[in-house]
């Protein structure tokens, strides 16, 4: 979507060093000031154009929830009777379309969009507002984030944090208080009542058994 709008104003691809998760507006601001995308268009109009392109292509995209999402939701909401909230820097008109596309309307007890707060992530305002709406103390909330901006917002809000990590962004860019990095939600399935130390010991045990199995097989006659 960015490339499409850049092309429409006479530019090819421009590198944006802001990490994913920053607002559309902040990314356009960066590309104009730091990337040299000279244009008379206002940042608000560029952001709107970007959203429009994204939505036009939404239903032909492969956008989907992360593996383990539905199983985790069922465990949290049905078995443990917990409340779930969604907070995002994306504007409401896009959030609603994505929720509809992914069929997750009924999953979240609260969902907040970026244009419903005065400051977007990495500011923690959206997390404090969600906690207030959920009527849960911020110290009792566990956050799942993938972006650095979102992780910083949760960290500033002093909420426990797990990062769903794509393996591309340097872990050092995330806050030090991250409890764990997972590639998706599947490692949490069946482990929600365990401490992270217990989960780590079990994971190490599986690795050790796997290595022993390899060594044993290596000694078998070919």
């Amino acid at each position: 979507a960015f490339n499409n709008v850049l092309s429409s104003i006479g530019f090819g691809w421009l590198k944006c060093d802001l990490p994913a998760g920053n607002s559309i507006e902040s990314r356009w601001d960066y590309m104009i000031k730091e990337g040299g995308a000279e244009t008379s268009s206002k940042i608000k109009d560029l952001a709107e154009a970007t959203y429009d392109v994204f939505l036009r292509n939404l239903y032909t995209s492969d956008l989907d929830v992360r593996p383990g999402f539905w199983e985790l939701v069922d465990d949290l909401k049905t078995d443990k009777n917990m409340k779930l909230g969604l907070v995002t820097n994306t504007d409401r008109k896009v959030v609603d379309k994505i929720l509809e596309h992914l069929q997750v309307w009924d999953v979240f007890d609260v969902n907040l969009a970026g244009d419903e707060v005065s400051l977007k992530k990495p500011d923690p305002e959206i997390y404090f507002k969600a906690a207030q709406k959920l009527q849960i103390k911020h110290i009792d909330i566990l956050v799942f984030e993938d972006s650095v901006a979102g992780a910083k917002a949760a960290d500033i809000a002093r909420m426990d944090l797990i990062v769903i990590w794509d393996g591309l962004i340097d872990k050092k860019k995330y806050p030090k208080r991250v409890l764990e990095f997972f590639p998706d939600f599947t490692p949490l399935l069946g482990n929600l009542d365990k401490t992270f130390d217990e989960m780590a010991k079990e994971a190490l045990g599986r690795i050790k058994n796997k290595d022993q199995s390899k060594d044993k097989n290596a000694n078998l006659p070919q």
Side-chain angles (χ1 to χ4, degrees):
F2 272 107
N3 289 341
N4 185 292
V5 178
L6 277 167
S7 178
S8 73
I9 61 175
F11 286 87
W13 180 83
L14 288 177
K15 182 180 180 181
C16 180
D17 289 328
L18 288 181
N22 281 271
S23 69
I24 299 294
E25 293 84 358
S26 64
R27 293 173 73 81
W28 273 113
D29 183 63
Y30 180 93
M31 284 190 287
I32 290 171
K33 293 180 178 178
E34 305 294 333
E38 297 180 8
T39 175
S40 59
S41 300
K42 295 180 180 179
I43 289 177
K44 181 180 179 181
D45 294 333
L46 293 169
E48 287 291 324
T50 307
Y51 281 136
D52 288 342
V53 174
F54 175 81
L55 289 176
R56 285 201 301 271
N57 293 284
L58 175 61
Y59 295 101
T60 59
S61 72
D62 58 357
L63 184 68
D64 201 355
V65 297
R66 298 288 182 94
F69 173 81
W70 287 113
E71 295 87 346
L72 181 62
V73 165
D74 184 61
D75 193 2
L76 292 176
K77 290 186 71 72
T78 305
D79 296 341
K80 294 183 168 50
N81 196 31
M82 291 184 175
K83 294 180 179 179
L84 300 183
L86 169 72
V87 298
T88 174
N89 273 350
T90 305
D91 283 1
R92 171 56 59 190
K93 72 173 187 176
V94 180
V95 173
D96 287 347
K97 293 291 185 181
I98 293 175
L99 292 178
E100 178 185 2
H101 177 64
L102 297 177
Q103 298 183 340
V104 294
W105 270 113
D106 299 328
V107 169
F108 302 105
D109 300 280
V110 165
N111 74 79
L112 290 173
D115 54 347
E116 294 169 341
V117 291
S118 56
L119 295 172
K120 296 184 177 184
K121 305 175 194 176
D123 189 275
E125 178 187 354
I126 198 166
Y127 274 115
F128 288 134
K129 189 172 182 178
Q132 184 179 31
K133 285 182 172 292
L134 289 167
Q135 296 183 325
I136 300 175
K137 294 179 181 179
H138 67 278
I139 58 173
D140 294 328
I141 289 177
L142 173 63
V143 171
F144 298 97
E145 270 286 359
D146 59 350
S147 72
V148 174
K152 287 181 178 179
D155 182 59
I156 296 170
R158 308 303 292 176
M159 296 178 178
D160 286 336
L161 172 66
I162 289 175
V163 171
I164 306 300
W165 188 52
D166 61 8
L168 300 176
I169 301 173
D170 189 343
K171 288 184 179 181
K172 293 179 181 179
K173 294 183 180 295
Y174 290 93
K176 293 181 178 180
R177 290 180 58 252
V178 173
L179 294 174
E180 190 56 84
F181 291 83
F182 292 131
D184 52 47
F185 296 106
T186 53
L188 291 158
L189 304 180
N191 292 315
L192 291 171
D193 294 322
K194 300 175 183 177
T195 66
F196 284 98
D197 286 342
E198 290 171 336
M199 290 174 63
K201 287 179 181 178
E202 288 187 4
L204 288 173
R206 288 194 295 271
I207 293 171
K208 184 177 180 181
N209 290 336
K210 187 176 181 180
D211 289 342
Q212 288 176 343
S213 178
K214 286 182 178 179
D215 292 340
K216 183 178 179 181
N217 291 334
N219 293 324
L220 293 175
Q222 300 298 315

